[in-house]
Each structure stands twice: as C-alpha cells, then as structure tokens.
Amino acid sequence: MESPAAPASPARRRVLAASLAALGAAALPGLAAAASARTRIVLLGTAGGPTPKALRAAPASAVVVGDAVYLVDCGNGVARQLALAGLRPGALRGVFVTHHHSDHNADYGNVLLLAWAADLRTPVDTWGPPPLKRMTRQFLRMNDVDIRTRIADEGRPDPATLIRAHELRAGGEVMRDERARVRAAVVEHPPLRPAFAYRFDTADRSVVFSGDTRPSEALIELVRGADVLVHEVMYLPALEKLIASEPQAARLRQHLLDSHTTAEQVGRVATAAGVKTLVLNHFVPGGDASLTDAVWRAAVAPHFKGELVIGHDLMWL
C-alpha cells in the first residue's frame, strides 16, 4: 500500500500512459485529459450485515480519481468515515448503491445532506436499483425543515438541484465522464433483485466492487481484465456462532448460504476471472475478533494465487 499523498514516479506515469493507450480513445473518450490523475481505492467500512460493530464500520468504499470521489454504498456512518479518510465531502461526484439492504443504503440520504451542509456545491449523480428516485425525494422531504432553514439562513443552494438520482434495472454502462467509465452487472443476491456489481475503468486502473452476491458468472465476466476485485466474503466455520442468538436462525442461515460468497468460493471466483489483486471486504462475521487476518488469508489463499489483501476500514489501495 502506498501513502495517499505519494507522488507518481516517472515509471508510474509511463504505466498510466500505456494503460490509457490500451483502453483506447474510442472506449473512453475524454480520459486523456485525466491521465495524470491517480486512481486510489479507499475501504471506508468493511463489515457485513446491518447491526453496528465495534471492530469494523458499515459497508462503503470510495474510488478517488484526482480530486473527485465516487462512493460505492452508503452504510451507517459513511460521512464520518469519509472525514477520517481525509476525503472532502464536496468532492463527491457520484454515489453507486449496489442494493437496498440497510447496511448498504442506511446513510444514502445522510451522506448527501451532510456533504451539502459542508462544502458540496456541484451536482452529484446517484445510481442504484429502484426505488432510488423515490427514496431521494422522500429523504429531502423528511429533512425539509433543516434544508429550508439553511437555504434561508446560510445562503446555500437547494440540494434538490444538486442531487440527480438515476435508477438501474439492468447491467451495462452506467456512467462515463472525463475521469472514469462505470459499468454494472446484475449479480445474484436473493431476494433483492436487481442487485449490482460495479466496475470502474480509469486512465491508470480498473477495479470491480462485487456488492453482495453468491458466486456469479455475470460478475466474473465484468471482472475479466480488471486490476482489482473488491469482493464480499463469508467464513462458514463461524456462521453458527454468528446466528446463534437470532430467533430466526434457520431462515438467516439459509439466506446467508443462498445470497453470499464463502471464502473458498471468492478465491475461485477471482481465479476464474483472472484478476490480479483480490481485496476481501464485507466480512461476515465482521465483529468477531478471533477471525484474524491470518484466518481469512488461510481460508482464501489456497484458491487464489494472485495478490490477496485482507481489507480493513480506512485502508488505501
């Protein structure tokens, strides 16, 4: 891992230029101007599941390209995680929601409202499954008193003019701007349909975020040729302990098995996709201190021979 502020070396700049050429002007028009902007990945929160945990924050990641921040998922506390990572709220340019479980969208509205209360003055586009537009409207209505007060008292712009929500129902290209191209694939996370994985291609890097999913052929196809795969992971030997106190343990167990990816499976998915670096994220269980990095590594490494990173909150990659 490099320091967030480390300058690009001449050798790295040559790699960036080569990567841009390989992507091709036809595929990513406009990225030539952003070729000198480094792409960084920040794991803001790496726990899985809706309950708050002392060891890891709720799911959220950021792709940072130059001075622009693209957020993937909005778990509880994501605005503070952005601050702890040293990321300016006003730098948000896009928010990508993988699916509508509360650990992934609980602070969808809050992060936008708090960014607006800080220094957000430019539009933010948001993407995710329906009913994202209705959620956006309802959140703004819920906070109408605060919003109207700050517009009148502090001279702020109306946030409704800055937040542009877009609903996704299928895979394909989601967005492209001068910094990045984003594509989505529909992954398998029943009973929520659709649920999405997202791939970011920039001038110097390509990274895929799996979202929540069981092993998915669509995800493997999305990952092919990518540099980094950030993938959820579940450790089966600890599953019984995790759900022991749940009144609906049998149903929860079945959901986890039907809708998520075990440590062995995630290694096999990364291998099938041919990705260079696998980053473990969205740990289930995410609050068990006995599950050390060594435990997670031992569970995945036999099935993936590339670079394996055990994710932690506020890790820069």
Side-chain angles (χ1 to χ4, degrees):
M1 292 178 291
E2 305 168 11
S3 164
S9 66
R12 181 170 176 79
R13 285 194 293 270
R14 288 193 294 271
V15 172
L16 301 188
S19 299
L20 179 62
L23 287 170
L28 291 171
L31 284 191
S36 61
R38 301 181 62 203
T39 302
R40 308 300 302 276
I41 304 162
V42 190
L43 304 181
L44 298 169
T46 58
T51 57
K53 298 168 182 66
L55 298 180
R56 296 178 182 270
S61 300
V63 176
V64 183
V65 188
D67 61 354
V69 176
Y70 303 91
L71 186 62
V72 180
D73 281 331
C74 309
N76 173 246
V78 63
R80 186 167 188 268
Q81 294 302 106
L82 284 168
L84 290 172
L87 297 174
R88 187 172 60 85
L92 275 177
R93 294 294 176 269
V95 177
F96 300 82
V97 178
T98 60
H99 66 289
H100 289 310
H101 267 142
S102 56
D103 49 331
H104 294 259
N105 72 3
D107 273 11
Y108 164 71
N110 287 336
V111 71
L112 295 167
L113 181 70
L114 297 174
W116 170 77
D119 60 342
L120 182 68
R121 298 297 179 268
T122 53
V124 179
D125 288 283
T126 70
W127 288 269
L132 193 70
K133 291 182 179 180
R134 178 161 54 89
M135 289 168 58
T136 305
R137 291 192 301 267
Q138 289 177 337
F139 181 84
L140 293 174
R141 282 200 294 269
M142 181 179 74
N143 288 277
D144 181 63
V145 171
D146 177 77
I147 290 169
R148 286 189 293 106
T149 299
R150 294 187 186 280
I151 290 173
D153 191 43
E154 302 170 13
R156 298 180 182 276
D158 185 345
T161 66
L162 299 179
I163 303 168
R164 305 182 297 207
H166 311 268
E167 293 183 348
L168 302 176
R169 291 172 172 80
E173 183 171 288
V174 175
M175 179 218 82
R176 68 169 73 197
D177 62 16
E178 69 279 9
R179 299 177 183 87
R181 178 191 186 197
V182 182
R183 287 175 284 163
V186 176
V187 293
E188 299 175 28
H189 187 54
L192 287 175
R193 296 182 175 89
F196 292 100
Y198 293 105
R199 173 170 175 155
F200 291 74
D201 286 292
T202 69
D204 65 312
R205 215 168 186 194
S206 53
V207 55
V208 178
F209 297 89
S210 72
D212 282 10
T213 181
R214 63 191 179 200
S216 164
E217 288 298 326
L219 174 63
I220 290 172
E221 289 304 313
L222 185 69
V223 174
R224 291 196 192 281
D227 298 309
V228 181
L229 169 60
V230 181
H231 201 297
E232 68 138 81
V233 64
M234 181 171 65
Y235 188 67
L236 275 182
L239 191 58
E240 295 303 324
K241 179 181 176 182
L242 171 68
I243 65 176
S245 61
E246 294 288 337
Q248 302 296 330
R251 293 183 65 177
L252 177 58
R253 180 190 299 107
Q254 196 59 51
H255 164 75
L256 292 171
L257 294 174
D258 290 345
S259 305
H260 292 276
T261 307
T262 68
E264 175 181 343
Q265 289 170 332
V266 71
R268 296 188 185 281
V269 166
T271 297
V275 73
K276 301 169 187 175
T277 300
L278 171 61
V279 180
L280 301 184
N281 186 39
H282 193 277
F283 292 85
V284 177
D288 188 339
S290 70
L291 297 181
T292 64
D293 285 9
V295 171
W296 291 106
R297 185 174 298 279
V300 176
H303 313 287
F304 177 70
K305 301 308 179 185
E307 181 184 9
L308 177 60
V309 177
I310 313 302
H312 288 279
D313 293 0
L314 305 179
M315 177 182 280
W316 287 72
L317 301 162

